[in-house]
Amino acid sequence: MARLIFFLQEAVRALRRNGAPTLAAVVTTVVTVILLGVLIPIFQTTQAKSDQVRSQLNIQVGLFDDATPAEIKALEGEVAGIPHVEEVTFISKDQALATLRSELKDKTIVEQLHTNPLPASLEIKADDAANLPGIREAILPAGANGKPQPISPIVNNIFDRQQASQQIEEVTSALKIVLTVMTALLIAASLMLIGNTIRLSIYTRRREVEVMRLVGATRWFIRWPFMIEGVIVGFIGGLLAILILWLGKLTIVDPLKGGSFDFLSAQNTMSFPLLIAILFAAAVLVSTIGSGVTLRRFLKV
């Protein structure tokens, strides 16, 4: 216990002696943790909403009005046998019109229709949105002349959202790349500044280190104060960042939840206490690694 108190006192004394580098390291840790605390929920929310939209993507196969129930039943069974098809639902003309009426804000548009222009259709859901193009090709394969030929003569046309699915994939992939690059740059900056703080501390105490070597101090006895310096920097930086994030949650995020801002409370995202615990552990871990790397390079004991 006495030795631990001695190490803490030495670490605090060294941090106070190198005030400017220590402050820079703490500020960088705070900024890193805050940005990570904002980026991680944004990425998780975007990913959750992307998965939700992807699960709603489907293919609508429009049918000719003169299709008989037997032909529709046969086509339904044929489509259900296509690989990766999860569900096939028949939508009648009346059901399609009722859906349109419920989705339109201006009901007068539907009321002015004298006939039902919407076709009956088959709604096809895939086990994964990425398999929708393959299902479309199976329903509308290329014929001998190279032109698409429907698998059944009652198929009129096909409606899908292949472009929307591709855009979702592109946006999600780009977001992952941006988050990864920003995280790597922030962690690298934190490691460099924390390492520079420890390096200055080693330089200012080089004579003390030499004396400890001469009197037979062990390597870890010399290293522990420097390691604790890095832990203290990470602890203070993480604590300040968590305080700022908590205040931001209370004053900004919580009042905006609900209503038009339901995206702030998306499902399948980690809880705030878990996020705080991960960020705090990451701050201390990054600071410890920065100290360890610097000690290995500049403290040859």
Side-chain angles (χ1 to χ4, degrees):
M1 187 64 182
R3 181 174 294 186
L4 179 60
I5 295 175
F6 169 76
F7 290 153
L8 286 172
Q9 290 175 342
E10 289 296 307
V12 171
R13 183 166 64 90
L15 290 173
R16 293 176 61 183
R17 184 182 300 173
N18 302 298
T22 300
L23 180 61
V26 170
V27 170
T28 304
T29 304
V30 171
V31 173
T32 301
V33 175
I34 289 176
L35 289 179
L36 289 178
V38 173
L39 289 174
I40 291 175
I42 289 177
F43 174 77
Q44 285 192 308
T45 301
T46 305
Q47 185 67 44
K49 291 298 182 182
S50 172
D51 293 340
Q52 180 180 349
V53 172
R54 283 169 55 85
S55 66
Q56 296 174 353
L57 294 177
N58 55 59
I59 294 177
Q60 296 279 347
V61 179
L63 307 177
F64 285 108
D65 291 341
D66 57 356
T68 65
E71 290 175 327
I72 295 174
K73 195 67 177 178
L75 176 61
E76 189 174 345
E78 190 173 358
V79 171
I82 297 175
H84 304 296
V85 171
E86 187 176 76
E87 183 181 354
V88 181
T89 305
F90 174 70
I91 308 294
S92 66
K93 291 172 64 68
D94 293 338
Q95 289 175 330
L97 185 61
T99 301
L100 178 64
R101 183 181 290 109
S102 65
E103 292 179 350
L104 288 177
K105 294 182 178 180
D106 189 358
K107 307 298 182 182
T108 59
I109 298 177
V110 179
E111 294 173 356
Q112 293 174 357
L113 296 175
H114 300 291
T115 60
N116 186 353
L118 300 178
S121 63
L122 293 180
E123 182 182 87
I124 304 168
K125 292 185 179 180
D127 54 4
D128 190 284
N131 296 320
L132 287 174
I135 296 174
R136 178 189 174 92
E137 292 178 3
I139 298 174
L140 204 64
N145 57 358
K147 295 182 179 180
Q149 298 292 333
I151 60 175
S152 173
I154 67 172
V155 174
N156 185 6
N157 48 34
I158 294 181
F159 309 95
D160 62 10
R161 298 178 181 177
Q162 182 175 355
Q163 185 177 3
S165 177
Q166 293 175 348
Q167 290 176 344
I168 291 172
E169 291 285 354
E170 292 173 359
V171 170
T172 304
S173 299
L175 187 61
K176 289 180 180 178
I177 294 173
V178 171
L179 178 62
T180 303
V181 172
M182 291 185 66
T183 302
L185 291 176
L186 289 169
I187 291 176
S190 298
L191 289 173
M192 292 175 62
L193 278 172
I194 293 169
N196 187 58
T197 301
I198 302 302
R199 183 169 54 189
L200 286 175
S201 179
I202 294 172
Y203 180 78
T204 56
R205 297 170 60 188
R206 62 189 184 279
R207 296 188 182 277
E208 296 178 22
V209 172
E210 291 176 0
V211 171
M212 285 190 287
R213 284 176 179 173
L214 293 175
V215 298
T218 63
R219 293 183 176 183
W220 278 108
F221 185 88
I222 298 175
R223 289 179 176 178
W224 269 119
F226 299 107
M227 292 290 295
I228 293 175
E229 287 181 40
V231 173
I232 292 175
V233 169
F235 182 86
I236 296 175
L239 200 61
L240 291 175
I242 288 170
L243 178 61
I244 295 172
L245 289 172
W246 179 70
L247 292 175
K249 179 179 181 297
L250 291 180
T251 58
I252 300 175
V253 177
D254 288 347
L256 292 179
K257 282 186 177 179
S260 302
F261 296 91
D262 282 338
F263 69 92
L264 293 173
S265 55
Q267 297 179 352
N268 301 324
T269 57
M270 70 175 64
S271 63
F272 186 73
L274 178 59
L275 175 64
I276 291 302
I278 292 175
L279 292 175
F280 187 76
V284 176
L285 180 62
V286 169
S287 300
T288 305
I289 292 175
S291 302
V293 172
T294 304
L295 286 171
R296 189 168 184 177
R297 291 181 57 189
F298 298 97
L299 190 60
K300 304 295 183 180
V301 293

